[in-house]
Amino acid sequence: MRLKNKVALITGGNSGIGLATAKVFVAEGAKVIITGRNPETLAAAKKALGSDVLALKIDLTDVPAAAKVFAEAASDVGKFDIVFANAGIGGATPLGQTSLEQFEKIISTNLTSVFFTVQSALPHLNDGASVILNGSVHAVLGAPGWSAYAATKGAVRSMTRNLASELAPRGIRVNQVTPGGTRTPIWSPYAQTEDAMTALEEKLGNMSALGRMSEADEISKAALYLACDDSSNVTGIEITVDGGMTSAPSGAKIFRAA
Ligand code: NDP
């Protein structure tokens, strides 16, 4: 077991990539704390993960409330060895059609809250801990209509490196997982029927060399590597799980489709 007795905080652990990672961390022996906003999916996740998992309802954009909940969790379960700052939202912000409120919601959730997740967890982090941020291929894709989301993920990519430097004196490692399109509920607003989801999967799959979306479980395995001692001298990096979408774009399936 690679995470035996380690305490792991996973934001957004009630859905998608966070939930898949919570499953892997529990299976590897960690004591897991998950957070989310939706009480129903939080309860379902706790049921699926086992009664030892602590499931906490927090809106991470409420920074003081989140700091209080993290302190209580650390005092209940123990100081954290792993923090996966994973929670985030999608959302297009096309030029000419985006309100200030829509833009700022994406920035506050995907960027500001990520910084404050780390800052609020810091007093409760053991020396030698592993912090993992969740980025996105959007940091480098240049997809039209996704400026705010891409900007947050570009900023997270920079912040991974800043925080890696800043926390190195305590032996705390900071790394990032960078998913390409991954089958999770984040896509629900764009694919409300099975046919729409199939079309979306085909579109996103066509953009990568390996020709399909990622599964949440495939991202969780990258997070596991960064969380455990296998990566004990690794900091400031990102592991991209995108089927070659960003590293081998000329090999995208669309170019070889019949
Ligand atoms: P999901 O929608 O399945 O999960 C998102 C999680 O974030 C949910 O648990 C949600 O909680 C939580 N969350 C969102 N906003 C807040 C908030 N204000 N306060 C607290 N929790 C919040 O999506 P994914 O699993 O796909 O997304 C996880 C991360 O992966 C995100 O950062 C996303 O940007 C990133 N990512 C995803 C990709 C994909 O294709 N799926 C690709 C690249 C990156 P609740 O449901 O309770 O609101």
Side-chain angles (χ1 to χ4, degrees):
M1 287 212 188
R2 279 176 281 181
L3 301 178
K4 195 159 175 50
N5 295 326
K6 303 264 191 200
V7 176
L9 171 70
I10 303 175
T11 67
N14 53 334
S15 183
I17 294 167
L19 178 57
T21 305
K23 282 183 186 154
V24 170
F25 284 10
V26 167
E28 292 288 344
K31 293 186 233 170
V32 173
I33 302 152
I34 59 167
T35 77
R37 293 174 301 183
N38 180 330
E40 281 159 25
T41 52
L42 268 175
K46 186 174 164 67
K47 200 168 168 205
L49 293 166
S51 56
D52 288 349
V53 168
L54 188 60
L56 302 170
K57 184 174 176 305
I58 325 174
D59 185 334
L60 293 165
T61 60
D62 184 346
V63 170
K68 190 163 171 278
V69 167
F70 290 174
E72 287 163 4
S75 111
D76 282 359
V77 182
K79 289 185 90 169
F80 309 143
D81 301 294
I82 301 154
V83 173
F84 184 22
N86 158 75
I89 53 172
T93 50
L95 281 170
Q97 297 167 46
T98 300
S99 68
L100 179 61
E101 194 189 5
Q102 285 168 323
F103 194 89
E104 288 189 332
K105 187 173 176 206
I106 292 174
I107 303 290
S108 72
T109 308
N110 290 3
L111 173 55
T112 313
S113 297
V114 172
F115 174 82
F116 282 99
T117 291
V118 179
Q119 176 164 290
S120 302
L122 194 55
H124 318 294
L125 272 187
N126 283 317
D127 288 353
S130 168
V131 174
I132 304 159
L133 309 185
N134 200 333
S136 166
V137 292
H138 269 284
V140 298
L141 277 186
W146 283 77
S147 296
Y149 183 82
T152 62
K153 296 301 187 175
V156 164
R157 193 171 188 233
S158 304
M159 211 158 61
T160 296
R161 291 158 174 77
N162 294 106
L163 298 179
S165 296
E166 210 165 329
L167 295 178
R170 286 185 53 195
I172 296 171
R173 302 181 294 108
V174 183
N175 293 292
Q176 177 182 319
V177 289
T178 304
T182 304
R183 283 207 301 138
T184 73
I186 209 169
W187 292 105
S188 309
Y190 307 95
Q192 288 177 351
T193 62
E194 239 171 71
D195 283 353
M197 191 63 210
T198 304
L200 179 74
E201 285 186 24
E202 193 179 337
K203 182 178 161 203
L204 295 179
N206 271 335
M207 290 168 66
S208 79
L210 294 180
R212 62 173 175 82
M213 292 179 80
S214 295
E215 301 295 335
D217 190 42
E218 293 174 309
I219 317 300
S220 74
K221 287 174 187 155
L224 172 62
Y225 168 71
L226 295 172
C228 78
D229 289 345
D230 289 352
S231 59
S232 51
N233 202 28
V234 174
T235 197
I237 70 150
E238 63 184 312
I239 299 182
T240 303
V241 184
D242 70 348
M245 184 186 283
T246 52
S247 57
S250 303
K253 189 179 174 200
I254 188 84
F255 296 130
R256 62 177 188 269

